[in-house]
Amino acid sequence: MRELSSSEILELWERGVGLHPLDRGLAALRVADPHASDEVADWPVGRRNQALLALHAAWFGARLQGWTACPECGEKVEFEVDARQLAAAAEAEPPHDSVTVAEHAFRLPTSRDLAQVAVARDVESAPVALLRRCRISGPENPEWTDELLEAVGESLASADPLAETRLALNCPACRREWDDALDIGRFVWAEVEARARRILWEVHALASAYGWSESETLAVGAARRAIYLEMVHA
Ligand SMILES: [Zn+2]
């Protein structure tokens, strides 16, 4: 995967600032691989996550470091995941294209499916709306019992293991154990944002050192200008 220039990082960040988190991940993937531009939204979620892991490893390094609060006592619990190891584990088990549960068959959900379900204001629940979109065959309006939803959910999870990565966490203070979903796109975006802010700081430092005006230093877009001014006047 190719390296990004400073201006490409800034462009990506500006484009992503106003986007839904799902679309920020896709925007980064489009920059990483312009040939895949039109398709990334239609990749199964696990394939997208695998590409995001590769992107994170190539642009920002393989370590995903984060923290979360213990649900029991509020203690800050840190975790670290190796993006390359996670991607390699999934490669050993390539995803299936579809799953069958009883008389129902579904294709793997994509980012586009998730986005459509996220913006839909239907009365039906999000899982049902998602499965309706991904239905290949079987009854059109089955009774969506909890058992059926659970069985389909489990089948999809094993057919596309990287679609959701669960982290096993435990609290050093109170010994509580729980698990949480790892949102790879969020990690990628946090790095894009941190890199963009660092670049802007460096530009600001240069401008101060040489007495340039901000407009001479930056060809400013609206979002970049707002953050730049916020930093200058902080
Ligand atoms: Zn705790």
Side-chain angles (χ1 to χ4, degrees):
M1 199 170 284
R2 67 194 187 85
E3 282 288 304
L4 280 201
S5 68
S6 293
S7 65
E8 281 176 312
I9 285 275
L10 288 175
E11 274 171 34
L12 171 59
W13 174 64
E14 283 173 10
R15 206 175 320 137
V17 162
L19 293 179
H20 187 279
L22 260 173
D23 292 316
R24 290 175 173 173
L26 297 181
L29 290 176
R30 289 190 181 105
V31 172
D33 183 2
H35 299 296
S37 188
D38 294 335
E39 324 161 1
V40 291
D42 295 312
W43 286 351
V45 177
R47 182 173 172 195
R48 177 203 68 191
N49 286 346
Q50 188 153 24
L52 285 170
L53 287 169
L55 182 157
H56 195 291
W59 288 359
F60 309 116
R63 282 203 310 182
L64 307 183
Q65 284 177 298
W67 67 274
T68 185
C70 170
E72 191 75 33
C73 72
E75 176 83 2
K76 182 174 171 180
V77 178
E78 295 181 343
F79 59 84
E80 189 176 312
V81 175
D82 187 295
R84 287 201 183 92
Q85 277 177 10
L86 194 55
E91 264 162 35
E93 253 183 289
H96 303 253
D97 292 334
S98 61
V99 302
T100 304
V101 174
E103 72 271 40
H104 312 274
F106 305 92
R107 61 175 173 77
L108 301 180
T110 66
S111 301
R112 193 185 301 279
D113 297 321
L114 297 183
Q116 293 285 338
V117 168
V119 299
R121 295 180 192 279
D122 295 334
V123 284
E124 63 190 359
S125 72
V128 169
L130 186 63
L131 292 182
R132 198 184 293 286
R133 282 186 61 86
C134 297
R135 173 182 162 274
I136 299 171
S137 64
E140 211 163 317
N141 291 300
E143 190 194 342
W144 292 105
T145 61
D146 290 348
E147 291 75 22
L148 178 58
L149 286 174
E150 198 173 316
V152 177
E154 279 174 12
S155 289
L156 286 171
S158 50
D160 193 15
L162 263 188
E164 187 178 53
T165 299
R166 307 294 301 181
L167 294 174
L169 298 162
N170 56 75
C171 175
C174 75
R175 304 283 164 211
R176 164 81 184 254
E177 294 180 355
W178 76 102
D179 64 274
D180 211 347
L182 176 73
D183 184 344
I184 299 156
R186 199 169 58 83
F187 278 86
V188 167
W189 194 254
E191 291 286 357
V192 169
E193 181 156 354
R195 183 75 60 92
R197 284 178 181 268
R198 199 155 60 236
I199 293 165
L200 290 175
W201 265 117
E202 284 162 6
V203 169
H204 172 55
L206 267 179
S208 306
Y210 291 100
W212 297 334
S213 74
E214 76 189 54
S215 57
E216 283 167 331
T217 317
L218 281 173
V220 279
R224 195 185 304 179
R225 187 186 190 90
I227 297 295
Y228 179 64
L229 291 175
E230 178 192 313
M231 291 191 309
V232 170
H233 298 297

